[in-house]
Each structure stands twice: as C-alpha cells, then as structure tokens.
Amino acid sequence: MPPPAGAEIAFAGRSNSGKSSAINTLAGHTRLAFVSKTPGRTQLINLFRMRNGAALVDLPGYGFAQVPLAVRLQWQGLLEHYLTRRSNLAGLVLIMDSRRPLTDLDWKMIGWFGPTGRPIHCLLTKSDKLTRQEQTKTLRETRAALAEFGAQITVQMFSSLKKTGMEDAEKVIGSWLSGDGAVPSIS
C-alpha cells in the first residue's frame, strides 16, 4: 500500500454483489473497476485516486469466489488489516446484494470495521431485480437489523443498471470526503 495520503473510501462486499459495478456507476466510468460474472476477480486492493487527492478503494470480494483456501485466508488478513489500521480511511461502503443482505460475512465485515467508529454506508445493490414492495421490505428489515449501530451505519437501495440511488450515495460518500456532500471528480 502507498503511504496514507488523502481520505480513502473503501468499497467492500461479497463476491458477485455488484461492487465493481457500483464503483463504476458512482465514478461515472464504465471500466474503472473490472466487472465480471465470475466471482473473485478483484484480488488486490485497488486505489482510484481522485483530483482532490482522495481515493476510492476497491477491496477484494469475499465469500464464494472460486479460489484456494490459502488465497481466501490471505485476502481476509489483508482486508482486516486495511480496515482496522488504515489511518486515512474515512468510511466503508458495504455492498450487499439486495436479495441476500447481511450474510455472516457481511456481519464479519461490520464487526471488523464497526469498532473504528467510522461511518458505514450499505448499498443494497441490484434493487432493480426486486419489486417495489420487496425493496421496501428489504430496506426496512436491513435497517432494523442494523439499528443498534445508530447513525454510524446508513442503508439505501441502489441499482447500477437503472442508476437508482446514485444521488443518495453520492451525498453520503461526498460528505465523508468534503463535508459538503459533493463528490469530487476522478482524474
């Protein structure tokens, strides 16, 4: 990792949760983060530096990626170290498939990062695959499950395909970087 310089916003999520698509959608680029139907393509911590010096950080996906156990354990150690010790990490965007939110691995991620006291914003991706009623129910249940964290964890629906939820996500993430809600452009 490069030395800490400028605020970093980490993006984490299960393999195949739509993490790379969400990063690309929020950044306004189609091929910034590599998108694949094969889980586990992101195997390193990738930093995308913005014009203001801050960075979006694409973390390796966790979960059912078809990689050897030794590699998965290495990723786990890498993720835990980065999330708990990176001094300039401003917040975590936790990407969860809206059809399967809050898996055991998502709770583990919250368990690592939550004690830092830094904010977590959950994007419930692929919301276009749910009916409006299912979206409302999923959002309500997820917020209720995370209520013990108070304002530290926020939750919203998001769809990279339909570009829904972008404004809300930009407002939250931008506030972590600039304090005014504006998301700086990527260079």
Side-chain angles (χ1 to χ4, degrees):
M1 294 294 298
E8 294 176 0
I9 305 295
F11 286 76
R14 280 178 46 112
S15 298
N16 210 27
S17 64
K19 181 172 53 73
S20 296
S21 294
I23 292 170
N24 289 339
T25 299
L26 290 168
H29 288 262
T30 55
R31 299 183 59 87
L32 185 64
F34 185 73
V35 176
S36 172
K37 291 194 182 290
T38 305
R41 289 292 188 187
T42 304
Q43 297 188 9
L44 302 171
I45 294 178
N46 297 300
L47 280 83
F48 303 107
R49 189 69 57 196
M50 296 185 291
R51 289 187 186 115
N52 70 347
L56 303 180
V57 182
D58 186 7
L59 300 176
Y62 52 85
F64 60 90
Q66 297 297 318
V67 294
L69 178 61
V71 173
R72 278 186 288 174
L73 291 174
Q74 180 182 359
W75 288 353
Q76 180 177 328
L78 181 71
L79 287 173
E80 183 177 14
H81 185 268
Y82 176 80
L83 291 170
T84 59
R85 296 194 175 103
R86 188 74 170 176
S87 62
N88 60 328
L89 185 55
L92 173 69
V93 178
L94 182 57
I95 309 294
M96 295 183 280
D97 187 322
S98 60
R99 299 166 297 174
R100 296 178 274 296
L102 294 173
T103 65
D104 290 343
L105 293 170
D106 296 324
W107 281 112
K108 182 178 264 190
M109 184 65 64
I110 291 167
W112 284 337
F113 194 73
T116 69
R118 296 178 189 140
I120 300 171
H121 188 61
C122 300
L123 291 183
L124 301 177
T125 59
K126 304 181 184 184
S127 64
D128 54 282
K129 296 180 185 278
L130 300 176
T131 66
R132 184 64 98 183
Q133 185 176 7
E134 290 169 330
Q135 288 179 21
T136 301
K137 181 179 183 234
T138 299
L139 188 58
R140 182 180 61 248
E141 290 174 353
T142 305
R143 284 180 173 157
L146 296 168
E148 68 185 88
F149 294 93
Q152 182 185 10
I153 300 181
T154 52
V155 184
Q156 73 163 94
M157 299 304 284
F158 189 85
S159 170
S160 294
L161 181 67
K162 304 271 182 166
K163 310 276 190 267
T164 54
M166 281 186 54
E167 286 184 25
D168 291 337
E170 288 172 345
K171 187 175 183 180
V172 171
I173 296 165
S175 71
W176 297 348
L177 295 175
S178 62
D180 65 3
V183 177
S185 300
I186 293 184
S187 48

